[in-house]
Amino acid sequence: MSPKSKVQSPKLPFIFVNMAMTADGKIATANRAVHSFGSARDLAHLYELRATADAVMCGARTVEVTGTILGTGGEKFRKLRRKHGLAEYNLRVIVSGSGSINPAAEIFKKRFSPIIVLTTKRAPAKKLAQLRTVADEVKICGADKINFRAAFRWLRTKWNVRRLLCEGGGELNDALFRAGLVDEIHLTICPKIFGDRTAPTVADGPGFQRLADAARFELTSKKRQKGELFTVFSRRK
Ligand SMILES: NC(=O)c1ccc[n+]([C@@H]2O[C@H](COP(=O)([O-])OP(=O)(O)OC[C@H]3O[C@@H](n4cnc5c(N)ncnc54)[C@H](OP(=O)(O)O)[C@@H]3O)[C@@H](O)[C@H]2O)c1
């Protein structure tokens, strides 16, 4: 095959993760009761980042536990979106490999922008039918495991997602790190300690077993604001 006749895969979106973390590396308390612990500045930062993204994505447990609707944060941030040349509202993406996401979750009650559920063939037919009544699209992205690379290419091709913001939780982040898909991490370090080895962290999955395999980033920005440290890590080429 000549180089010219090679079929090009569709491009991936730029994928960035935003998380708030305690000084001991936790993203919630062990009992999951505390999930919001950053300052008002950190919340504004979250909306500012959403205002640069075509789509915002979360894992099923984050959607349920936090009650997030993955909204824009109001007119001030929608104005910012328009300034960035983006649609007024971001798309909303939920990852639920077994289709266990609760169809009564708060997010499905707010109809301001399309909701896409990424799932697998593991999801029972009854569950899929139920989710199709509350989501705008339910996309099967693999037999047993989600093929995130293919899913994100599809998001780009079908929904024109060029910038995809992932807001956790730890299980979803871990899968993205392992797939080598994270371009940038925005990490707010908050001056609190939650402790407990079972409390969730930024990447809570099988992870990497060897230093040589670890996902590698470099610190590209740090800003101290009041008591918090706002950091940005970019993927090492
Ligand atoms: N501090 C922060 O910035 C922040 C941000 C977000 C969340 N949080 C906290 O994080 C906690 C939730 O995190 P979590 O790790 O338990 O859950 P999560 O990643 O939000 O959701 C886990 C669920 O998402 C689906 N999922 C995730 N990765 C998948 C993969 N690779 N393939 C298929 N499905 C996948 C699965 O759904 P199915 O079960 O349907 O297969 C899985 O059970 C909450 O306590 C929340 O408060 C904190």
Side-chain angles (χ1 to χ4, degrees), residues 20 27 32 35 60-62 95-98 100 167 169-172 175:
I27 61 165
R32 312 276 166 128
H35 46 75
R61 297 296 84 76
T62 294
V95 177
S96 182
S98 72
S100 74
E167 293 185 356
E171 184 178 339
L172 174 58

Side-chain angles (χ1 to χ4, degrees), residues 54-225:
D54 298 292
V56 183
M57 175 173 77
C58 271
R61 297 296 84 76
T62 294
V63 170
E64 291 169 350
V65 169
T66 67
T68 182
I69 59 166
L70 300 180
T72 58
E75 176 51 28
K76 178 179 160 192
F77 299 100
R78 286 198 290 280
K79 204 170 155 191
L80 207 53
R81 295 186 63 79
R82 290 192 291 269
K83 201 173 144 195
H84 293 147
L86 297 174
E88 190 160 10
Y89 291 89
N90 53 272
L91 291 178
R92 297 172 288 166
V93 180
I94 303 170
V95 177
S96 182
S98 72
S100 74
I101 177 74
N102 182 357
E106 204 52 34
I107 193 167
F108 296 117
K109 296 177 188 156
K110 305 286 190 280
R111 307 306 314 178
F112 50 83
S113 74
I115 299 176
I116 298 154
V117 176
L118 304 180
T119 189
T120 66
K121 286 187 180 158
R122 277 191 290 128
K126 197 174 159 195
K127 197 75 204 175
L128 288 176
Q130 213 178 19
L131 286 175
R132 285 191 175 112
T133 66
V134 291
D136 296 85
E137 184 152 8
V138 177
K139 175 75 175 167
I140 295 176
C141 309
D144 187 42
K145 289 183 177 169
I146 292 187
N147 179 338
F148 283 104
R149 196 168 285 273
F152 295 164
R153 284 200 167 113
W154 171 81
L155 278 175
R156 175 138 188 183
T157 309
K158 167 104 196 248
W159 292 91
N160 201 23
V161 175
R162 286 160 186 272
R163 284 178 60 87
L164 174 63
L165 172 59
C166 177
E167 293 185 356
E171 184 178 339
L172 174 58
N173 291 345
D174 190 87
L176 302 189
F177 287 126
R178 278 183 291 120
L181 287 167
V182 179
D183 294 298
E184 200 171 83
I185 312 166
H186 293 252
L187 198 56
T188 306
I189 303 169
C190 306
K192 292 179 175 67
I193 302 285
F194 285 164
D196 197 320
R197 70 186 59 175
T198 63
T201 72
V202 169
D204 276 341
F208 302 98
Q209 304 308 314
R210 299 183 333 145
L211 178 60
D213 298 333
R216 285 170 189 267
F217 291 85
E218 58 189 345
L219 180 67
T220 44
S221 164
K222 66 176 186 343
K223 201 180 293 173
R224 180 181 160 173
Q225 286 193 298

